[in-house]
C-alpha cells in the first residue's frame, strides 16, 4: 500500500529527472530511473516500476551508458517475484498448489515419481 512518503519520493525523483533532461544532462538518468522504479515498487505500483525500468533500458540503448544496467536487470528480474508476494494468501496458496501439481506431473511423466505423495 502506498504512503504519502512513497508518493513524495516518486514526485521528487520525477522532478529531478525532468530537471536533468531540461539541462540536457543525460548522464546518470538510468540511475535516477532505477530509483524511480524502486520507489514505485515500494509503493506497490508494479506497472510504474516496470515502465521506469524499461525507460531506463531505452535510455541505455540510446546513450550507451551501461553503468547502471546490472541494477536495471535486477529490478526487472524482481518484478515477477513481487507480483507473487503482493497476492492475497488464498491466491498464493492456489498458485503453490498448481506449481506443485505441475512438478509432480512432469516428474511422473519422466518416471521419477512412482507413487502419489
Amino acid at each position: 500500500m502506498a504512503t504519502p512518503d512513497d508518493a513524495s519520493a516518486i514526485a521528487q525523483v520525477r522532478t529531478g529527472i525532468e530537471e536533468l533532461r531540461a539541462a540536457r544532462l543525460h548522464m546518470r538518468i538510468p540511475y535516477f530511473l532505477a530509483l524511480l522504479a524502486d520507489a514505485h515498487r515500494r509503493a506497490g505500483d508494479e506497472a510504474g516500476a516496470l515502465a521506469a525500468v524499461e525507460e531506463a533500458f531505452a535510455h541505455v540503448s540510446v546513450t550507451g551508458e551501461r553503468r547502471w544496467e546490472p541494477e536495471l536487470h535486477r529490478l526487472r528480474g524482481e518484478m515477477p517475484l513481487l507480483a507473487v508476494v503482493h497476492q492475497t494468501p488464498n491466491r498464493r496458496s492456489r498458485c503453490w498448489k498448481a506449481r506443485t501439481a505441475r512438478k509432480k506431473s512432469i516428474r511422473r511423466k519422466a518416471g521419477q515419481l512412482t507413487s502419489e505423495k
Side-chain angles (χ1 to χ4, degrees):
M1 171 157 280
T3 66
D5 289 339
D6 293 329
S8 174
I10 291 168
Q12 288 176 354
V13 174
R14 281 191 185 175
T15 300
I17 292 169
E18 293 309 315
E19 288 175 0
L20 285 172
R21 286 183 174 148
R24 297 183 185 265
L25 300 172
H26 297 286
M27 295 301 290
R28 302 193 94 191
I29 285 182
Y31 167 72
F32 288 105
L33 286 168
L35 289 179
L36 181 62
D38 193 48
H40 277 290
R41 181 187 60 82
R42 289 174 188 256
D45 178 14
E46 289 130 16
L50 188 57
V53 168
E54 295 304 324
E55 184 181 349
F57 274 117
H59 191 279
V60 165
S61 70
V62 169
T63 64
E65 182 188 2
R66 303 205 179 280
R67 172 182 272 167
W68 303 105
E69 197 170 20
E71 177 67 6
L72 297 172
H73 282 288
R74 183 191 68 79
L75 287 167
R76 186 192 301 172
E78 284 183 349
M79 298 299 163
L81 298 174
L82 294 173
V84 172
V85 169
H86 288 114
Q87 292 174 354
T88 62
N90 189 30
R91 176 146 168 75
R92 277 195 303 259
S93 176
R94 286 194 318 261
C95 289
W96 177 260
K97 288 177 185 175
R99 279 194 301 260
T100 302
R102 189 170 48 237
K103 286 179 185 178
K104 284 183 180 180
S105 173
I106 291 168
R107 288 178 24 209
R108 191 177 301 110
K109 287 178 184 175
Q112 297 174 354
L113 190 63
T114 57
S115 64
E116 190 66 31
K117 293 183 181 180

